[in-house]
Amino acid sequence: MSDEELDEYPDGTVKLRNPHIELMDQDILYHIALGSESHDLVEMFGDVKFVCMGGTPNRMKNFAHFIMEEIGYKLPTGTDLMDISQYSYRYSMYKVGPVIAVSHGMGVPSIGILLHEMIKLMYHAKAQDPVFIRIGTCGGLGLEPGTVVISDQAVDGLGNYSYSVPILGEVVKRPAKLDKKIVRELKALSSVDDPYETVVGTTMCAEDFYEGQGRIDGAFCDYTEVDKQNYLEKLVKQGVKNIEMEATPFAALTHHAGIKAAIVCVTLLNRLKGDQVAAPKEVINEYQERPQKLVARYIKKYLQTKGRLCSLDGHGSMAVKSPRRFKLVQQESQTFE
């Protein structure tokens, strides 16, 4: 299937490019502890418009509470936000009206697993035109710590604008493309009153935290400080603004599914000046709020435009179709500990 054929169905629902799923008795989403027959996924997630992902469970729980305030969402009396994927022990997921906040862990394999299951979840839920947004942290290149970076494209450590994965003994490359319109809309929502800069640029995705990012503070280092600086400056000349560990699979798998997606990160340090984050914890915590604020502006503007800001239903409660299958899903998810 060509890139031109990657659009969604006419009704906006997500395509699932796997003919085997429909032949299965139940599609168990092991790592988020949900199932296509154990849960009423249309009831639970059919209204989702935004799937927001970030590295840690705590960060995404905080984002869920933050977006709840921003969009004026009220929980029923006596209830609290529920970790929908609590039985998986791997990822945490919260639902606030049309917004999902879910953790993706660290690195390419972890976010790749989650993306497969979140794309399938949107398919089973018949969600229309969902937008996926990664909210993260990164190392900046020539940028002050605390700078917000909106990715316009993703590149791997070898300079490929694609995500490479070995499948059945062969390397398959998928284009790592992000939605240009969303990039423009996000940049337009940055404010001159923000006490930090918001920039647009290329994001490099490394498959390792230390050597893969040219750090000299890992357990191994077979290159010099000069080698590192030359490499980082070469990236800067290529338009790379930041380095993180999830951009290429995020961009490639969402594009492959025909899902519009964006990445918004905040720099924790300028890699041209060092390898270790030196800012105090309270400063880092404030930095991490910056991309969340920009994404919240985007979501809020969308809901206001659609006239949905005051009519948000559902708060991520479980809708179990089959108690027996529900128990099976829990057991299957727990076997992957």
Side-chain angles (χ1 to χ4, degrees):
M1 189 177 288
S2 67
D3 287 350
E4 288 72 21
E5 298 176 280
L6 293 180
D7 295 331
E8 300 161 325
Y9 288 122
D11 64 356
T13 55
V14 174
K15 287 181 178 178
L16 202 60
R17 300 176 63 169
N18 181 353
H20 305 287
I21 298 297
E22 286 301 313
L23 303 177
M24 296 168 58
D25 177 55
Q26 173 172 222
D27 183 16
I28 297 178
L29 310 179
Y30 299 105
H31 305 88
I32 54 175
L34 294 169
S36 61
E37 295 302 319
S38 58
H39 299 76
D40 188 338
L41 299 180
V42 175
E43 172 68 22
M44 292 174 67
F45 301 103
D47 64 334
V48 168
K49 291 298 179 183
F50 299 96
V51 176
C52 299
M53 300 181 178
T56 68
N58 192 53
R59 188 188 307 159
M60 298 320 291
K61 183 177 183 180
N62 290 340
F63 175 73
H65 283 282
F66 174 66
I67 198 67
M68 184 163 59
E69 282 190 30
E70 288 296 301
I71 66 176
Y73 183 79
K74 303 296 183 184
L75 290 173
T77 303
T79 65
D80 196 1
L81 283 176
M82 175 185 182
D83 183 354
I84 299 169
S85 295
Q86 60 183 312
Y87 296 109
S88 78
Y89 308 109
R90 294 165 197 80
Y91 304 104
S92 290
M93 179 164 59
Y94 303 89
K95 184 174 184 293
V96 180
V99 182
I100 286 177
V102 59
S103 64
H104 60 57
M106 181 184 288
V108 170
S110 186
I111 195 171
I113 292 168
L114 181 68
L115 281 165
H116 272 271
E117 298 195 3
M118 293 307 298
I119 291 168
K120 290 200 295 178
L121 177 60
M122 294 297 95
Y123 166 78
H124 290 304
K126 303 186 188 306
Q128 297 182 342
D129 301 309
V131 173
F132 282 35
I133 304 175
R134 179 175 124 67
I135 305 169
T137 58
C138 63
L141 291 177
L143 301 175
E144 288 300 311
T147 301
V148 173
V149 181
I150 305 167
S151 306
D152 61 356
Q153 54 187 348
V155 62
D156 69 13
L158 296 176
N160 300 306
Y161 291 86
S162 59
Y163 170 49
S164 299
V165 56
I167 301 175
L168 301 182
E170 296 184 5
V171 175
V172 175
K173 288 189 175 184
R174 290 173 176 158
K177 295 185 177 182
L178 296 162
D179 191 272
K180 302 295 186 185
K181 183 172 182 287
I182 296 179
V183 170
R184 294 192 298 270
E185 291 173 344
L186 284 166
K187 183 63 172 73
L189 289 170
S190 62
S191 172
V192 293
D193 295 326
D194 292 333
Y196 49 85
E197 190 177 8
T198 298
V199 301
V200 174
T202 300
T203 295
M204 192 196 97
C205 175
E207 301 219 14
D208 169 65
F209 186 80
Y210 288 100
E211 294 173 292
Q213 298 188 37
R215 281 185 159 89
I216 60 170
D217 58 347
F220 313 101
C221 185
D222 299 321
Y223 44 85
T224 67
E225 173 70 25
V226 173
D227 294 334
K228 181 193 81 171
Q229 287 299 126
N230 288 340
Y231 173 69
L232 295 181
E233 288 169 8
K234 178 182 177 182
L235 292 178
V236 172
K237 290 178 182 177
Q238 293 173 347
V240 176
K241 297 290 188 183
N242 60 335
I243 302 174
E244 45 90 277
M245 297 177 65
E246 294 86 18
T248 52
F250 180 83
L253 294 182
T254 51
H255 174 67
H256 199 54
I259 292 173
K260 296 174 182 175
I263 302 173
V264 185
C265 291
V266 65
T267 62
L268 299 185
L269 75 166
N270 180 357
R271 285 296 317 286
L272 298 182
K273 295 182 178 180
D275 294 334
Q276 297 194 339
V277 178
K281 183 178 180 179
E282 59 271 17
V283 174
I284 296 299
N285 289 341
E286 192 277 323
Y287 284 171
Q288 292 185 77
E289 293 174 358
R290 295 178 179 182
Q292 294 184 16
K293 290 177 180 177
L294 183 60
V295 171
R297 290 172 192 167
Y298 180 78
I299 292 173
K300 191 172 182 179
K301 182 179 179 181
Y302 171 88
L303 295 176
Q304 288 173 330
T305 301
K306 300 297 182 180
R308 297 185 56 187
L309 203 54
C310 299
S311 59
L312 306 175
D313 300 319
H315 64 289
S317 59
M318 286 290 184
V320 176
K321 285 201 299 187
S322 167
R324 181 183 66 81
R325 289 178 182 265
F326 177 52
K327 186 66 176 177
L328 174 64
V329 168
Q330 288 184 36
Q331 292 172 347
E332 289 290 329
S333 293
Q334 290 168 356
T335 61
F336 281 78
E337 283 187 79

